Amino acid sequence: MGSDRFDVLREQVRGPVIEEGDAGYEEARHVYNGMIYRRPAAVLQVSQAADVMAAVRFARGLGIDVAVRGGGHSAPGFGTVDGGLVLDFSARRGVRVDPAARTARVEAGATWADYNHATHAFGLASTGGIVGTTGVSGLTLGGGIGYLARKYGLSCDNLIGADVVLADGSFLTASDAENVDLFWALRGGSGNFGVVTSLEFRLHPVDVVHVGIMFFDASTGASVGAAYREWIGAEPEEMGAFLGFHQGPPVPFLPEEWHGRPVTVIVGMWTGDPDAGPAHWQPMLDAGEPLGSFFAPMPYPALNMMFDGLNVPGLQGYWKADFLRTLSDDALRVAVENSPGIPSIHTRQPLLPDRRGSPAGSTRSHSLRLPERQFCTGDRGAVA
């Protein structure tokens, strides 16, 4: 496939088309996960929906694969492809909030840091991950767990509309009112229904929240986890908190001798009256002897970005997940037994409650190793 082929595409789009050998190709082809190493034939840096329509038709005519890179992490590397065309939305990060209707229209390259910055100005938010650099589109189209899930559902539960380019290059809008089957599919239907160019969300009143972080010796994780299971199930939906097994991070409220050692962590926030927050965290403080803890009211976006420093571009990432009907004693026992083998501060084994906060939930292992090479990154993840 020669450069003259992509000259045809260049005539049909406004965004730059970058091929191998062009200045900027190496930077344009790399993605967030340093484990993913692919060489697309070209990267189109999307400027508008019309670019996407033209590019999809062009790729279909050539019979080449299309990968979509939105604003997120895509641990499996869905934002790139060998020998195909990447649609890179990283320059399309706009967020428009309608405070009266409590909705937000989001471009496909926006991150949750972009989204929360825009919506927090109006005292509004919706469920959106635990890392600010995660892409809005990728997380939402994959479900979307976050601190607000118990109160307001997953990210996809708050999706009220999406603009989509289909495989034939046609454009349509999916919502409860039009193209309802596609709208249903976008919210958890497993993917590849089209290229989402923008999303619209329902917003909720969320401003200052009461944040809590507690560290316990990982060897006590079974008893701490059992206490967490009962506590989160009894708490009002205004409490959203995760349990996980990690290496102790170098934070000032954890004694230095626990840095790099296996710990059990509970982190989350109370979204009700911040003054009532301490009383809601107290049962977990009484459940064990914390190694260190942090409690404070803070703006919701600050919590959403608190762990960005542990999730920098270029780390080599591998994720594996299972869903459990209950957060059982056996699951906690296995987590404790494996905690000494957690290999780095970038590795985590979180146990996440379902929306109700009942013992039912999911567990996933997310292993990130230090990079062999540091890549520049364009974010990704807008394919549905």
Side-chain angles (χ1 to χ4, degrees):
M1 185 183 303
S3 179
D4 57 330
R5 297 283 188 94
F6 285 101
D7 284 343
V8 173
L9 179 60
R10 289 185 177 93
E11 294 174 355
Q12 299 173 351
V13 298
R14 290 292 182 91
V17 178
I18 304 171
E19 296 181 74
E20 188 166 9
D22 291 344
Y25 173 79
E26 288 300 311
E27 180 177 356
R29 77 177 181 87
H30 286 311
V31 292
Y32 189 96
N33 185 355
M35 186 178 288
I36 307 301
Y37 192 87
R38 294 176 185 150
R39 304 191 73 86
V43 177
L44 166 61
Q45 296 179 339
V46 173
S47 71
Q48 54 189 269
D51 285 3
V52 179
M53 297 167 68
V56 168
R57 293 186 187 115
F58 172 83
R60 183 177 181 178
L62 289 183
I64 61 173
D65 290 335
V66 173
V68 184
R69 183 184 304 164
H73 294 182
S74 187
F78 294 148
T80 187
V81 61
D82 280 325
L85 176 63
V86 173
L87 305 183
D88 179 1
F89 284 88
S90 59
R92 309 306 305 167
R93 296 172 61 171
V95 181
R96 184 186 183 279
V97 178
D98 183 338
R102 289 186 176 176
T103 61
R105 170 65 66 173
V106 186
E107 293 183 304
T111 66
W112 286 105
D114 299 325
Y115 182 91
N116 292 331
H117 174 73
T119 61
H120 184 70
F122 301 96
L124 300 169
S126 60
T127 306
I130 59 174
V131 177
T133 54
T134 301
V136 172
S137 52
L139 187 77
T140 300
L141 299 172
I145 295 172
Y147 297 111
L148 291 169
R150 292 190 67 221
K151 181 68 173 175
Y152 297 122
L154 304 180
S155 300
C156 66
D157 294 323
N158 292 280
L159 184 67
I160 59 176
D163 290 342
V164 188
V165 175
L166 300 181
D168 62 358
S170 61
F171 175 93
L172 53 77
T173 296
S175 70
D176 278 333
E178 53 185 327
N179 299 301
V180 293
D181 287 347
L182 176 60
F183 186 54
W184 175 87
L186 295 179
R187 293 174 296 159
S190 80
N192 289 322
F193 297 102
V195 181
V196 173
T197 60
S198 71
L199 308 94
E200 186 174 12
F201 290 91
R202 181 184 302 108
L203 296 171
H204 310 278
V206 179
D207 194 353
V208 173
V209 298
H210 194 274
V211 171
I213 305 173
M214 291 167 277
F215 293 99
F216 300 87
D217 186 338
S219 66
T220 67
S223 60
V224 170
Y228 163 84
R229 179 179 61 204
E230 301 306 316
W231 166 73
I232 196 66
E235 276 291 306
E237 291 180 343
E238 284 77 11
M239 176 61 76
F242 299 152
L243 167 73
F245 292 81
H246 302 248
Q247 282 191 8
V251 294
F253 51 91
L254 180 66
E256 187 173 352
E257 62 266 27
W258 283 95
H259 295 179
R261 294 174 61 185
V263 295
T264 302
V265 183
I266 296 172
V267 57
M269 65 183 189
W270 166 256
T271 61
D273 179 0
D275 291 339
H280 286 274
W281 288 110
Q282 191 61 45
M284 284 312 305
L285 287 172
D286 296 339
E289 185 174 348
L291 303 171
S293 61
F294 170 86
F295 300 96
M298 64 174 60
Y300 168 67
L303 173 61
N304 189 247
M305 297 187 294
M306 184 174 286
F307 304 107
D308 287 9
L310 296 176
N311 294 274
V312 297
L315 292 171
Q316 296 180 337
Y318 174 77
W319 293 31
K320 193 174 181 64
D322 288 296
F323 290 92
L324 308 176
R325 294 186 64 85
T326 62
L327 182 54
S328 66
D329 290 342
D330 281 344
L332 291 168
R333 175 183 54 79
V334 170
V336 171
E337 289 174 354
N338 284 276
S339 63
I342 295 173
S344 80
I345 197 172
H346 302 286
T347 306
R348 61 210 64 170
Q349 186 182 45
L351 296 158
L352 312 178
D354 69 1
R355 179 177 179 179
R356 298 175 303 278
S358 70
S362 65
T363 177
R364 66 180 180 178
S365 175
H366 175 190
S367 178
L368 290 171
R369 300 192 302 274
L370 291 174
E372 295 175 1
R373 51 186 179 273
Q374 186 70 38
F375 291 156
C376 296
T377 180
D379 293 339
R380 65 258 177 247
V383 68

